[in-house]
Amino acid sequence: MALEAFRPSQALSLGVELELQLVNTHDYDLAPYAGNMLRLMEQIDLPGNVVPEMTSSMIEISTDVCRDAGQVLGQLSDIRDALVRCADRLNIAVAGGGTHPFQQWHEQRIYDRPRFQELSALYGYLSKQFTIFGQHVHIGCPDADSALLMLHRMSRYIPHFIALSASSPYVQGQDTQFDSARLNSVFAFPLSGRAPFALQWSAFETFYDKMTRTGVVKSMKDFYWDIRPKPEYGTIEIRVFDTPLSVERAAALAGYVQALAAWFLAEQPFTPDEDDYLVYSTNRFHACRFGLEGNYVDPGTGEQMPLRDHILLTMHHLQRHARQHGASDALHLLRADVTRGHNDARWLRERQHREQLLAEVSRQATLKFRGA
């Protein structure tokens, strides 16, 4: 299949997708209620979409195209409130978080859609292990070459996105010692990782044509890259975020992406090159493993510093652009947490330390999601 033409979009426009957990209200394990939730939600007039995901205990919500983080928050809040009402009717609950703390992957059911069934046939047990939950942020780009430049600039900040959103310390009832264990599951797929380095759309089209000729790739959906172009939307899609525990944090993360993109466009702070990726995997690992306590190697200078310090330094550069694009509140929320070394992974661990029961942690996460 030929690569779809890139459709220009409004520069710096935003779109957000959130994959969410459906849990029962007995022991707060995952519950296969996606079909029931979708039937109730389709009766409600809302912005964006609500769709199924790989297994029946997951759903994905998305916004319309938004101008700023405030509009993202408004739409996510409306969808969240409707989800909570529908979940209450079904006597279940909805939660954020990148992994469910104690679900057993072999108990999950593949949702009955042709693409999900095809993926299950191809990937076997990995498909059920893909019962993990991420946030995707789309940022609008005016043309195809601008999108690739934006993609490779954003790649330097992948560790920021991971550490700020990390909410998956627990897997199968165990503390993994990772702040974001979710991304370990993503890496199991053969077409994961990073996009090839190309700054011209013609070069990217050549790469795509070669991949489709092998028969391994049929569409852009087959790439599970950390960031990928979405030509049909005119965006790049950042995919490394764990789903936060609240829609407020999800909107703040979108605002951070928009402020970064605005800085790139206004000041052209650096030109990416292939050597940026020499430290990509190491930086990514540190963010997954240690969160805000990880180390960061600057790809341009080779300087090493605490990741937390690099995030705060970057936020200093972004202040003016955040004000211009309505992201000041987003940066304020995130900066406060970075300063005290706090993210959702830490919140989950603190609750488990206090409660000593992951089911209770999951219950409290559902309350946090509903804004209680």
Side-chain angles (χ1 to χ4, degrees), residues 6 33 75 171 177 276 320:
F6 192 92
Y33 276 77
Q75 293 197 8
V171 174
Q177 300 184 52
D276 285 1
R320 176 169 63 88

Side-chain angles (χ1 to χ4, degrees), residues 245-352:
L245 297 177
S246 68
V247 295
E248 289 78 12
R249 193 172 190 86
L253 291 167
Y256 186 51
V257 169
Q258 189 183 46
L260 271 171
W263 179 47
F264 297 159
L265 291 180
E267 300 188 28
Q268 306 288 316
F270 62 92
T271 300
D273 60 39
E274 181 67 53
D275 284 353
D276 285 1
Y277 291 99
L278 294 174
V279 294
Y280 183 86
S281 295
T282 299
N283 282 339
R284 188 184 189 278
F285 169 80
H286 264 263
C288 289
R289 173 69 175 83
F290 302 108
L292 295 168
E293 303 306 316
N295 290 325
Y296 181 85
V297 182
D298 187 290
T301 66
E303 179 184 0
Q304 297 191 30
M305 67 179 75
L307 176 55
R308 186 192 307 187
D309 290 352
H310 193 264
I311 294 173
L312 291 173
L313 177 63
T314 302
M315 288 181 171
H316 175 73
H317 293 312
L318 300 185
Q319 290 181 43
R320 176 169 63 88
H321 305 287
R323 286 194 300 271
Q324 290 174 349
H325 295 279
S328 292
D329 289 346
L331 254 66
H332 179 75
L333 184 157
L334 296 174
R335 186 189 295 111
D337 281 351
V338 173
T339 301
R340 62 193 181 106
H342 199 276
N343 59 14
D344 282 345
R346 181 168 174 180
W347 186 94
L348 290 163
R349 285 193 171 107
E350 288 173 349
R351 295 305 182 278
Q352 173 61 4

Side-chain angles (χ1 to χ4, degrees), residues 167-232:
S167 61
S168 54
Y170 295 103
V171 174
Q172 308 277 301
Q174 301 297 315
D175 189 331
T176 64
Q177 300 184 52
F178 278 69
D179 269 22
S180 177
R182 179 187 73 91
L183 286 170
N184 294 330
S185 296
V186 178
F187 244 8
F189 287 79
L191 296 174
S192 61
R194 67 166 181 99
F197 187 77
L199 294 179
Q200 287 78 43
W201 193 252
S202 58
F204 185 79
E205 287 179 315
T206 298
F207 163 81
Y208 183 86
D209 289 343
K210 290 178 179 178
M211 290 298 294
T212 53
R213 282 200 297 271
T214 68
V216 172
V217 168
K218 295 183 175 63
S219 76
M220 282 298 300
K221 289 183 177 181
D222 293 323
F223 294 113
Y224 291 86
W225 296 331
D226 293 345
I227 314 179
R228 68 185 180 191
K230 290 290 283 184
E232 67 271 34

Side-chain angles (χ1 to χ4, degrees), residues 98-171:
T99 55
H100 183 276
F102 58 89
Q103 64 92 14
Q104 300 296 311
W105 66 263
H106 61 85
E107 296 176 351
Q108 303 311 313
R109 308 174 189 172
I110 301 297
Y111 193 88
D112 188 17
R113 265 198 174 177
R115 175 167 170 77
F116 298 149
Q117 297 296 335
E118 291 169 8
L119 292 174
S120 179
L122 174 61
Y123 290 118
Y125 83 104
L126 292 177
S127 300
K128 291 187 177 183
Q129 287 204 334
F130 213 52
T131 306
I132 52 177
F133 308 85
Q135 171 177 348
H136 303 165
V137 176
H138 292 258
I139 187 81
C141 301
D143 59 73
D145 287 355
S146 296
L148 292 176
L149 180 59
M150 183 72 73
L151 185 158
H152 292 293
R153 280 181 169 149
M154 283 289 177
S155 290
R156 286 196 182 188
Y157 298 88
I158 285 293
H160 291 211
F161 305 150
I162 293 171
L164 289 169
S165 69
S167 61
S168 54
Y170 295 103
V171 174

